[in-house]
Amino acid sequence: MSKIKKLIALTLALAMVLSVSVFAANYSEDVYADAADINEDCKDAVELMYALEIMQGTGANFEPNAPITRAQMAKIIYVIMNGGKDDKAVNYVGNSIFSDVPAAEWYNGYVNYCAMTKKIQGYDGKFDPNGTLTVSAAAKMLLTAIGYDAEAYGFIGANWENNVLTVAHEAGLLKAVATNLTGAAPHQWVAKMIMNSLGAYCYKTVAAIPGNGILNNYWVNSGNDLTNITT
């Protein structure tokens, strides 16, 4: 499925879920036993993630304040990139380039896909699947998934976190995300970031601001060159 078709599909799904919310205000309460713990600003996002099978909680709970793990984020990235439904990444299950991602684990296919498509990175041959992500690290993975080149945008190296947060703010991923951006990423705020990514944009070309170590995105050709923006 092309990126444009996926964007249209996800946008239509968003419209559908939000329209349902108007008539079924107790949707989240009916689905999750811990729905009362979901922040009001995150409820629509949590409903959308459930409808698209991107995030569906653990058993009867969504665990909105639990930090997301690297393996869980790999699954999210896979589902986003492959049309909004979960097929368990069966075509990618098997040997892994990471020594701590056994073939028998549920996350093996997701991690393999993300590694092969350069959506994720490991460290010293390991992925640390059960390690938790910060909001900035989750934003990096989402930005990479929706089209940002990690190397071109400075998401690699000493200033990666500043660069990621700068771009994430500009792209709209962090709109109304009210949690510590350098702390562990709670499930509900990751859901909010994913929903925000539906309207995110990406500059095709970037340049660095001399001296401050943080990338600032701008239209290289001219200030009104709309061909330099993609969604």
Side-chain angles (χ1 to χ4, degrees), residues 66-72 128-134 137 183-185:
I68 199 159
T69 68
R70 291 171 59 81
Q72 289 171 337
D128 188 20
N130 296 313
T132 58
L133 284 174
T134 61

Side-chain angles (χ1 to χ4, degrees), residues 195-214:
M195 190 170 78
N196 286 344
S197 73
L198 287 173
Y201 60 83
C202 177
Y203 286 107
K204 296 177 182 177
T205 50
V206 296
I209 300 176
N212 70 359
I214 300 177

Side-chain angles (χ1 to χ4, degrees), residues 26 50 96 126 150 186:
N26 294 323
Y50 180 86
S96 173
K126 295 184 178 181

Side-chain angles (χ1 to χ4, degrees), residues 69-216:
T69 68
R70 291 171 59 81
Q72 289 171 337
M73 197 66 190
K75 175 185 175 180
I76 288 170
I77 297 300
Y78 173 83
V79 177
I80 290 174
M81 296 300 297
N82 288 276
K85 290 292 182 179
D86 180 14
D87 65 2
K88 313 302 180 185
V90 293
N91 292 329
Y92 297 89
V93 173
N95 294 332
S96 173
I97 63 173
F98 301 118
S99 61
D100 58 350
V101 180
E105 291 291 347
W106 66 266
Y107 49 74
N108 174 271
Y110 303 119
V111 174
N112 285 345
Y113 167 83
C114 290
M116 290 171 60
T117 55
K118 298 183 179 180
K119 299 296 185 296
I120 60 172
Q121 294 175 308
Y123 304 91
D124 299 323
K126 295 184 178 181
F127 180 67
D128 188 20
N130 296 313
T132 58
L133 284 174
T134 61
V135 172
S136 53
K140 173 183 175 179
M141 294 175 73
L142 277 174
L143 287 169
T144 304
I146 63 176
Y148 286 83
D149 183 280
E151 184 175 353
Y153 280 86
F155 297 165
I156 299 170
N159 294 309
W160 76 267
E161 190 167 47
N162 285 336
N163 294 336
V164 164
L165 292 177
T166 297
V167 176
H169 274 293
E170 292 179 349
L173 258 66
L174 300 178
K175 183 179 180 180
V177 174
T179 189
N180 181 4
L181 301 183
T182 58
H187 289 162
Q188 62 181 337
W189 294 110
V190 172
K192 180 69 173 179
M193 291 164 63
I194 297 171
M195 190 170 78
N196 286 344
S197 73
L198 287 173
Y201 60 83
C202 177
Y203 286 107
K204 296 177 182 177
T205 50
V206 296
I209 300 176
N212 70 359
I214 300 177
L215 289 182
N216 185 39

Side-chain angles (χ1 to χ4, degrees), residues 21-105:
S21 299
V22 173
F23 301 101
N26 294 323
Y27 175 88
S28 293
E29 286 78 356
D30 293 339
V31 172
Y32 298 118
D34 58 357
D37 297 330
I38 299 174
N39 187 287
E40 189 67 31
D41 289 338
C42 298
K43 286 186 176 180
D44 286 340
V46 170
E47 292 180 18
L48 178 62
M49 297 305 102
Y50 180 86
L52 295 181
E53 299 182 13
I54 294 176
M55 298 174 71
Q56 295 189 311
T58 304
N61 296 313
F62 183 72
E63 299 182 350
N65 296 309
I68 199 159
T69 68
R70 291 171 59 81
Q72 289 171 337
M73 197 66 190
K75 175 185 175 180
I76 288 170
I77 297 300
Y78 173 83
V79 177
I80 290 174
M81 296 300 297
N82 288 276
K85 290 292 182 179
D86 180 14
D87 65 2
K88 313 302 180 185
V90 293
N91 292 329
Y92 297 89
V93 173
N95 294 332
S96 173
I97 63 173
F98 301 118
S99 61
D100 58 350
V101 180
E105 291 291 347

